[in-house]
Amino acid sequence: MARNSAIPPDSFDQILAWLNPDRDTAGSIYVQLRFDLTRIFTWNRCPDPEGLTDEVFDRVSRKVHELRQSFVGDPRLYFYGVARNLIKEVPKKVKTQISLQGTEPASNPLHDAQEETATMREECLHFCLQKLSEEKRELILGYYAKEKQAKIDHRTEIALRLGVSVETLRVKAYRIRSILEECMERCLNRVGQNK
């Protein structure tokens, strides 16, 4: 599931504050909520349950400031509602995806512009990765290194190597990803202004 919108840097803290005023209790609720959402996506036979769980948190992150003011009731219910909507979106996305293997794309200026944008994004990503400490860079690259079951196993190995739980590893990766997304946005804006 593609995630391309900027996430406010303080959104994780706001999510925790929304889940419970006590940070330790909020952390426990957060971990359990991630587990529950992943299980829900697994039960519904969705591809990449962990990626969809990340998408739920990304979507809530973008609105958490407003939600804290207006949502009445248990915040977890909002997360479950977002998950329910994502489950409905998955079949639509699968139906609209077709294989392009063996087809030759027609040459057009839009394609060239997309390639240029992809190159700029790649250069900005490389630049932003270099700005991270070596430890953070290795963690985030390792976190997203594999696919499907291999990804889950690899993340477990990383957590064991670091001596932390998988949930703590997810939080660390989320924070690093937020830093990278912010840096990427600034970099792309600078490149766009220099054109």
Side-chain angles (χ1 to χ4, degrees), residues 8-185:
D10 68 336
S11 60
F12 181 72
D13 292 329
Q14 288 204 30
I15 285 176
L16 289 179
W18 187 37
L19 290 173
N20 194 290
D22 177 57
R23 194 162 174 91
D24 290 337
T25 304
S28 298
I29 293 170
Y30 172 83
V31 169
Q32 185 62 47
L33 185 57
R34 283 200 68 89
F35 177 78
D36 293 344
L37 290 170
T38 303
R39 219 168 28 172
I40 288 168
F41 289 124
T42 303
W43 289 337
N44 283 280
R45 301 180 191 275
C46 295
D48 192 17
E50 285 190 5
L52 289 169
T53 299
D54 288 342
E55 178 65 20
V56 169
F57 279 93
D58 287 354
R59 289 184 182 191
V60 174
S61 293
R62 289 183 211 106
K63 294 184 173 185
V64 70
H65 183 70
E66 301 161 24
L67 291 169
R68 287 185 66 194
Q69 311 300 323
S70 61
F71 188 82
V72 178
D74 187 348
R76 291 175 290 191
L77 298 177
Y78 189 84
F79 286 87
Y80 296 140
V82 173
R84 185 177 58 243
N85 290 338
L86 266 176
I87 290 167
K88 291 177 187 174
E89 289 175 24
V90 168
K92 292 176 188 171
K93 289 187 187 289
V94 170
K95 285 180 187 174
T96 60
Q97 294 175 352
I98 58 170
S99 174
L100 297 177
Q101 188 173 2
T103 60
E104 195 61 39
S107 177
N108 70 35
L110 180 60
H111 182 268
D112 295 339
Q114 288 172 336
E115 273 187 20
E116 186 179 335
T117 302
T119 302
M120 287 178 0
R121 288 186 63 76
E122 192 173 314
E123 288 172 1
C124 282
L125 177 59
H126 181 72
F127 170 77
C128 291
L129 282 169
Q130 294 307 312
K131 289 186 76 174
L132 293 174
S133 68
E134 186 176 338
E135 177 187 333
K136 287 182 179 178
R137 185 170 48 251
E138 285 179 13
L139 190 148
I140 200 71
L141 291 173
Y143 190 79
Y144 289 105
K146 311 238 182 221
E147 294 292 323
K148 300 186 180 178
Q149 185 62 43
K151 174 173 69 174
I152 295 168
D153 296 339
H154 188 62
R155 288 178 179 178
T156 304
E157 290 170 17
I158 294 171
L160 288 172
R161 190 172 63 238
L162 295 175
V164 298
S165 68
V166 174
E167 290 78 17
T168 301
L169 178 65
R170 282 190 192 115
V171 172
K172 285 178 181 265
Y174 175 86
R175 288 181 176 159
I176 296 169
R177 190 178 74 229
S178 295
I179 292 167
L180 275 175
E181 287 173 351
E182 222 177 288
C183 176
M184 290 273 298
E185 189 175 335

